[in-house]
Amino acid sequence: MMGCRRLFLLSMLLAAEHHGSTEAFSTMSIAPKIRRASTAIASTVENVFEQTSQQQQLQDDLPSVTSAEESQSIQLRSVDKDALINTSIFIIAIATVVTTVLSVDVGITRGWTAEEIALRIPLDNWRSYTNILSMAPIETKAVTSATVYTIGDIIAQKTEGLDIGKLDRGRILRSALAGLIGHGPMSHVWYHVSEDFFDNILHLHAWWDFVPKIVVDQLVFGPIWNNSYILLLGIMQLQKPGQIFGDMKRSTIPLLISGLKLWPFVHCITYGLIPVENRLLWVDLVEILWVTILANEANANNSEAQPGDDKDR
C-alpha cells in the first residue's frame, strides 16, 4: 500500500514539473491531498480484496449446500416412491379380498332383501372355504398361514413406529413365505398326528384329554415351529449358520415362556371344541396377535448381530 502512495506522489510531481508550475505543488499544500487520496485508494483496494474473499467463500460453500439439498430431495423422492408402492399394494390386496367376499353369491341374489344378503354372505363364504379346505387341505392352510403372517409382520413393523413408506417389503415377504411353506403345512401334519396319537394309540377320550394335548403341543410342537421359523428367515436372509443357530439358542426359552402366557388358554378351545380340520384357522386368527410378538422377537435378535429382520406357535 505504501508503494501505491509513493507512485501517486511521484506522478503528481512529474506532472507539475512538466507544466512549469512548481509553486502549485509545494509540500505544505499538496501533502494533505496526497494523504487523503492514498487513504482512499488503500480503502478501495481492501474492500475489493474483502469482497473477492467473500465471493470465494460463498463459492466454496455452495457445493456442500447444494449436495445436502440434493441428498434431502433424493431421500424425499425415495420415501414418496416407497409410500406409493406400499399403499398401492395394500389397496389392491384389500380390494381383491373385499371383491371376493362380496361376490360369493353373485348371480343368485336376485330378489333378496338387504337382510338376506347380509346373512347369506358370511354363511356362503364359510361354505366356500370348507369346500376348498376339503379338496386341498394343505394348500388352503398354507395360504391361510401366509396371509396371517403377512398381516402380523405388517403390524409388527407398525408397532416399531415405521410409516407406510418405510415398511420393509422384503421382511414382509419372508414372513409370508415362512407361513406358506412352514407353518401351514407343518400345522396340518401336527394336528392330525396329535389327534391320531391320543385317540388311536393312547385311546384317550375323556373330557379332560385336551390337557395333555396342550402340554405336548407347548413342549414339543411349539419349540419345533419357533426354531423352524427362525431357520427359514435366516436362510432367506442368507445368514451364516452360526448366526442362525445363535438366534435359535437365544430365542428358544424366551419364546417358550412367552407362549405359556397365551397358548394354553387358546388351546383349551383348540383341542377342546374345534374340529381337527378347522383348528389351524382358529389358531391363525389368534396368530395375528402372536406373530406380531414373534416378528418383533426375531427382528430384535437379528438387530443385535446385524440390521435385519423378523416367531411360536
Side-chain angles (χ1 to χ4, degrees):
M1 204 58 65
M2 290 298 296
C4 293
R5 293 174 62 184
R6 290 173 183 173
L7 182 60
F8 182 80
L9 178 59
L10 181 59
S11 65
M12 295 294 290
L13 290 173
L14 290 175
E17 289 176 358
H18 179 69
H19 289 88
S21 52
T22 55
E23 293 180 357
F25 287 91
S26 61
T27 305
M28 295 300 294
S29 61
I30 296 299
K33 297 180 180 180
I34 293 175
R35 285 195 295 270
R36 287 195 297 270
S38 62
T39 301
I41 293 173
S43 176
T44 302
V45 172
E46 289 177 359
N47 290 335
V48 170
F49 275 108
E50 184 177 356
Q51 293 175 359
T52 303
S53 176
Q54 291 176 351
Q55 292 177 353
Q56 184 64 38
Q57 183 64 35
L58 289 173
Q59 292 177 352
D60 292 341
D61 293 342
L62 184 59
S64 61
V65 173
T66 303
S67 176
E69 291 177 349
E70 290 178 351
S71 176
Q72 185 177 9
S73 177
I74 292 173
Q75 185 177 4
L76 288 174
R77 287 198 300 269
S78 176
V79 171
D80 292 341
K81 180 181 177 182
D82 288 335
L84 179 61
I85 293 173
N86 292 343
T87 302
S88 300
I89 293 173
F90 293 153
I91 291 175
I92 293 172
I94 294 171
T96 301
V97 172
V98 171
T99 302
T100 302
V101 170
L102 295 180
S103 63
V104 66
D105 290 326
V106 66
I108 63 172
T109 57
R110 179 175 297 180
W112 289 8
T113 64
E115 292 78 5
E116 289 175 324
I117 294 175
L119 178 63
R120 288 293 299 273
I121 283 178
L123 295 176
D124 290 342
N125 273 290
W126 173 254
R127 186 180 297 109
S128 176
Y129 171 80
T130 55
N131 290 337
I132 296 173
L133 181 64
S134 63
M135 292 185 292
I138 296 179
E139 294 86 345
T140 303
K141 294 173 183 178
V143 172
T144 301
S145 288
T147 303
V148 166
Y149 274 65
T150 299
I151 296 171
D153 195 78
I154 292 172
I155 295 173
Q157 292 194 48
K158 291 296 290 182
T159 59
E160 294 168 13
L162 298 180
D163 296 329
I164 190 169
K166 296 182 180 180
L167 293 179
D168 187 344
R169 293 188 296 272
R171 171 177 157 179
I172 296 171
L173 178 61
R174 289 190 291 270
S175 287
L177 290 174
L180 181 71
I181 66 179
H183 186 256
M186 289 176 64
S187 295
H188 170 80
V189 173
W190 169 255
Y191 289 129
H192 281 277
V193 168
S194 173
E195 198 69 13
D196 183 69
F197 176 76
F198 283 100
D199 287 352
N200 300 324
I201 296 178
L202 297 183
H203 301 288
L204 191 61
H205 302 287
W207 66 268
W208 46 265
D209 62 359
F210 65 91
V211 176
K213 292 178 182 179
I214 294 173
V215 173
V216 173
D217 184 286
Q218 291 299 285
L219 297 181
V220 178
F221 183 63
I224 290 175
W225 168 238
N226 292 341
N227 289 311
S228 298
Y229 179 81
I230 295 172
L231 175 63
L232 288 170
L233 291 184
I235 292 173
M236 286 186 281
Q237 290 180 282
L238 303 179
Q239 294 178 353
K240 295 181 179 180
Q243 180 180 346
I244 295 175
F245 290 109
D247 289 343
M248 290 181 179
K249 184 178 179 180
R250 285 193 297 271
S251 299
T252 298
I253 300 301
L255 285 176
L256 179 62
I257 295 173
S258 297
L260 293 176
K261 301 174 183 178
L262 171 68
W263 288 108
F265 305 101
V266 174
H267 286 328
C268 288
I269 299 175
T270 304
Y271 291 104
L273 300 174
I274 307 296
V276 64
E277 280 300 325
N278 295 322
R279 285 176 183 171
L280 179 63
L281 179 61
W282 157 250
V283 167
D284 274 343
L285 293 176
V286 183
E287 288 266 9
I288 293 178
L289 169 63
W290 182 236
V291 75
T292 304
I293 300 172
L294 291 172
N296 281 325
E297 178 73 20
N299 189 56
N301 285 335
N302 291 333
S303 297
E304 292 176 1
Q306 66 180 33
D309 237 355
D310 341 296
K311 167 164 185 178
D312 179 299
R313 218 263 353 74

